[in-house]
Structures are given as structure tokens and as C-alpha cells.
Amino acid sequence: MLKLYYWPGTCSIAIHILLEEIGVAYERQTVDLGQKQQYSAEFLAINPKGKVPALVRGDGSLLTEVPAIAMWLAATAPSFHLVPDDIEGRTRVMEIMSYIAGTVHIQGAARAWRPALFSTHREEQEAVVARGREIVLQGLDILSDALDGKEYLAGEYSIADPFLFFIEYWAAEKVGYPLPANIDAHYNGMRKRPAVRRALAAEGLA
Amino acid sequence: MTTLMYAKGTCAMGIQVLLEEAGVAYELKKADFSKGEQHTPEFRAVNPKGKVPALVRDDGSVLTEYGAIAMWLAMTNPDKKLVPTDPEALARVIEALDFAVGTLHMLSWRMFRRPDAYSDSDDEQAKLKVRGKEAVEKGLAIANEQLAGKDWICGDYSIADSALYYVEFWVSEVAKWPLPANVQAHYERMKQRPAVQVSRKEEGAA
């Protein structure tokens, strides 16, 4: 039985959505980031990186990093075509996953959401948040261009869409950033997907 | 002709290693980051993200993001076996690569190397350098565990080794910190590879 370690509204929601999309049986377990539970001895024993999402598989082995977990889940359920079959399509999906993971999330959203991680000076934290916002908005512009009027980033629905959804959800619902038109359309489309609805409901998110 | 947008001392060195490993004909187009050349209209016309690496392919299309470029080179040169085809093994390679690029590099090294990107105050920057160093060391400890009993981070040589390599380069050659034992052995092994030797010559490293 797969077990997802997650915290509501974080990037773990991308994996949560994918689990719901493929309809595989899984358990879920919260790791309370607000209480710093990710640094507890108990959780570090499960994931030494102290991060969510973490996916423990049926054989007890752990998989981490959103792009890796997403690719693996897609491979376990090939009939859902969650990753394109062609090299170019797969490459472009990886490009988006890497961009969201390494830049929009780690450099943008992290600054805007947890400025204290980057400066302990109150007066500076506003500037850290502003820079984070700048990076996220630039990211949304670039991803909007990548959507280019398509319903989904790779044309067909793929692992890239739930990952973008995580950023969209956080930007729209948590911090109230304006979404470019393509992004807004993608966000609203995603919210209609049953798997997304189930994941949001499971996480207690509206 | 394949062109790698490159800047000395950056993670683009890992992509040069992979180009060499793949045996692809390429040229380097070097930007001087100390002069802010990544922010010029000419550079942004090629890569709006203003970053290296970016790969301009034969057909003129541009590929960004380390992981995507690495995957593309691997997938288009399957005889070089730079990624496994088995989904589990592939997930592990993406996991290791993402950890190196996202966590070791973008979150941790960057905090140490570019504290000015987060704060203008001297004492805050000093704190960031300490936290960055700690984060790099913690990450390398995880890589060290993973390398136990192995030559390469995922068993067989893969694109993930190129990403760990450039972090090792920075830690050894730039910061001059010691690497944990297995990581040091990995670094030495990388240095033996002809592809890495080409990169090191480009970087002016022994």
C-alpha cells in the first residue's frame, strides 16, 4: 500500500492529485510543518531529507522529489498517459517540472511564504517577499506562454498540470496574486477535475 | 550545431560533461555573468529566464532547465546509457538529480554563495552563509549515504552524477571545504572521466 506523507497546500498536493488521478489505493499521513514535525526524529527516520512529499511504497522503499515521484506514478499507470510517449514531449514536461521545482517554488514561493528563512530582519522581510512575488509572477508569465492557449501544458493532461496547479492554488488562494489569463483558465479547469476536487477535499482545502 | 549557453563556474559545466559523454558536436556560447550579460536583450531573446544552461538545438529550438537538458541528451543518445529505461531506476536518477539541482544547489549552495540575493545587511549575510554551509553539508551527508558501496550515485553512471559533480566542484574548488568520504571518492572518479577532463580544462581546474 502506498503511503503519502504530506501537508495541506504544499507542493505535496501535486502528488496527492496524481494518486487520485490514477485511482491507486493509498494511505495519507500529515506532517505538520507548522509544528516543525518534519524535523522530528520520527519523520527523519522515514525521510532523512525532512521534506514532503515523501512516498513510501508497498515494499517499504521511500521515493522523494516531486518530479521523480510524479514520473514514477505515471510509469505505474501507463494507460493514463500522464507523461508523453515521445522524447520531445517528455523533455518539455521535465523542463516545466524542473522550472516549477527549482525556481518558481524554491526561489519564488519560498521567499514569499517564509521570508524569515532568508532574513531575520523584519524590515528586510518585506523586500524578500517582494522578490519572491516577482519570481513567482515571472514564472506564471513564462508558464502562461508555455500553455499558449492549450488546455494543458503538454497538450494532453500530464504530471506537469498538478504541479502548476499547486503554484496556482497557492498564488490565488493564499497570497492573492493576479493570475495571467491562460493560467487562470488552467486553474479553473483543474478545479473541475474530480481528482483535484478529491485531493482538495482530503486536504481540507476549499 | 548544438550550442550550449554557458558561463564559467556555473552549473552549465555539468551539461558540458554530458555533451561530451553523449559525443554530441557542440559549441559553447559564453556569457560573462560578472558583466550581467545574462540580462541583455540578446541573451533574453534566446532564454527569457536569463539563465544558463540553455541548449540551442540544431533546429534552433531552445531547451532550458538542467534536468530537462540532461534528460534530452540522455534520451536522444540511448546507446550511451546516460539514463536507465526501467521506471524504478529512472525515478531514482531523477530523484538524485533533482536533489542535487534543487536542494544542494538552488536552496543550499546559493544561500552560502549569494547571500546578497536575499539580504542587504552584513550580519544577515553572515548568518545566511553559515546556514547555507550547514545545508550543503547536510545534503552531502545524504548523498554520502546513498553512495555507500557504489561508484555512481544511482549505481550505474547517469545524468545524476553530472549534477552531483558540479556541486562537488563548487565545494572543493570554490569553497574549499572537505567532502565526506564517499562523495570525495565519487569526485575523484568523475575527474578520471575524459568528459569531465574536458570540462575541467574549460573551467581552468586541474
Side-chain angles (χ1 to χ4, degrees):
Chain A
M1 170 80 63
L2 296 175
K3 189 165 182 180
L4 174 68
Y5 290 87
Y6 78 103
W7 186 237
T10 65
C11 62
S12 53
I13 198 169
I15 302 305
H16 209 162
I17 291 168
L18 288 171
L19 286 162
E20 288 293 333
E21 293 283 3
I22 67 181
V24 68
Y26 71 102
E27 298 174 300
R28 59 174 82 88
Q29 173 65 55
T30 52
V31 180
D32 190 336
L33 303 188
Q35 297 295 316
K36 301 214 188 301
Q37 213 185 353
Q38 72 272 39
Y39 302 127
S40 67
E42 207 191 318
F43 185 68
L44 287 174
I46 293 163
N47 180 13
K49 292 172 180 172
K51 296 268 171 74
V52 293
L55 190 72
V56 177
R57 281 97 54 93
D59 64 359
S61 65
L62 170 76
L63 197 51
T64 61
E65 310 297 336
V66 169
I69 301 171
M71 285 286 284
W72 181 76
L73 283 173
T76 62
S79 60
F80 287 86
H81 294 121
L82 288 168
V83 179
D85 291 322
D86 61 303
I87 288 177
E88 186 62 14
R90 288 166 78 87
T91 302
R92 289 298 182 186
V93 164
M94 275 294 295
E95 188 182 33
I96 289 166
M97 298 298 282
S98 297
Y99 183 55
I100 294 175
T103 299
V104 187
H105 176 201
I106 282 179
Q107 297 188 54
R111 271 175 164 101
W113 196 239
R114 295 263 176 269
L117 285 182
F118 302 101
S119 177
T120 55
H121 288 188
R122 289 266 141 128
E123 332 78 63
E124 268 197 325
Q125 285 174 15
E126 229 179 89
V128 173
V129 169
R131 178 69 185 124
R133 181 190 153 108
E134 200 178 22
I135 291 170
V136 172
L137 291 179
Q138 181 188 31
L140 290 176
D141 276 341
I142 284 174
L143 292 162
S144 177
D145 286 346
L147 271 168
D148 192 27
K150 305 195 296 291
E151 192 181 3
Y152 296 118
L153 286 158
E156 260 191 60
Y157 187 66
S158 77
I159 58 175
D161 296 292
F163 207 14
L164 175 56
F165 176 81
F166 147 64
I167 295 290
E168 289 162 344
Y169 181 88
W170 174 81
E173 311 299 338
K174 295 287 185 186
V175 288
Y177 292 172
L179 301 184
N182 283 346
I183 297 290
D184 196 49
H186 180 267
Y187 179 54
N188 289 314
M190 286 296 285
R191 288 202 69 125
K192 296 195 178 104
R193 289 186 74 91
V196 175
R197 288 191 158 152
R198 288 195 298 272
L200 286 172
E203 297 202 3
L205 299 171
Chain B
M1 173 60 76
T2 302
T3 304
L4 174 61
M5 309 285 284
Y6 189 93
K8 192 161 186 235
T10 67
C11 60
M13 72 176 81
I15 298 299
Q16 181 174 27
V17 169
L18 291 176
L19 284 160
E20 288 288 330
E21 297 281 8
V24 168
Y26 70 95
E27 57 183 19
L28 295 182
K29 186 152 196 257
K30 297 183 226 185
D32 188 340
F33 276 19
S34 69
K35 297 196 179 124
E37 281 178 7
Q38 70 272 43
H39 303 302
T40 60
E42 294 77 21
F43 191 100
R44 296 261 170 173
V46 177
N47 183 11
K49 293 169 181 173
K51 296 272 171 73
V52 293
L55 199 72
V56 185
R57 300 182 293 184
D58 259 338
D59 64 357
S61 63
V62 182
L63 203 43
T64 62
E65 304 301 329
Y66 193 101
I69 298 168
M71 278 289 287
W72 183 75
L73 286 170
M75 288 191 289
T76 51
N77 295 279
D79 54 314
K80 300 297 197 285
K81 298 192 186 340
L82 292 169
V83 281
T85 46
D86 158 66
E88 175 65 18
L90 176 60
R92 289 297 182 197
V93 167
I94 294 170
E95 183 186 39
L97 186 144
D98 232 76
F99 183 62
V101 175
T103 298
L104 278 171
H105 167 189
M106 299 226 198
L107 199 50
S108 311
W109 174 259
R110 202 171 152 72
M111 191 176 275
F112 164 77
R113 187 73 176 153
R114 294 290 320 281
D116 58 298
Y118 305 105
S119 172
D120 290 332
S121 98
D122 283 340
D123 66 274
E124 200 58 45
Q125 286 186 24
K127 283 185 203 160
L128 284 163
K129 285 173 83 76
V130 169
R131 288 189 27 238
K133 178 170 196 252
E134 280 168 3
V136 172
E137 285 169 348
K138 245 172 91 174
L140 287 176
I142 289 172
N144 196 55
E145 285 283 307
Q146 197 178 341
L147 277 164
K150 298 207 210 76
D151 279 359
W152 309 114
I153 188 86
C154 294
D156 292 332
Y157 186 70
S158 74
I159 57 176
D161 293 287
S162 75
L164 181 57
Y165 166 74
Y166 77 72
V167 175
E168 290 162 346
F169 182 98
W170 286 341
V171 171
S172 285
E173 315 299 339
V174 178
K176 303 202 199 299
W177 303 328
L179 292 168
N182 299 336
V183 179
Q184 179 65 36
H186 177 266
Y187 187 49
E188 294 304 324
R189 239 169 258 128
M190 288 299 287
K191 286 198 250 179
Q192 307 284 336
R193 297 185 75 93
V196 174
Q197 284 164 6
V198 172
S199 164
R200 292 181 76 81
K201 190 152 172 238
E202 182 62 47
E203 286 290 324

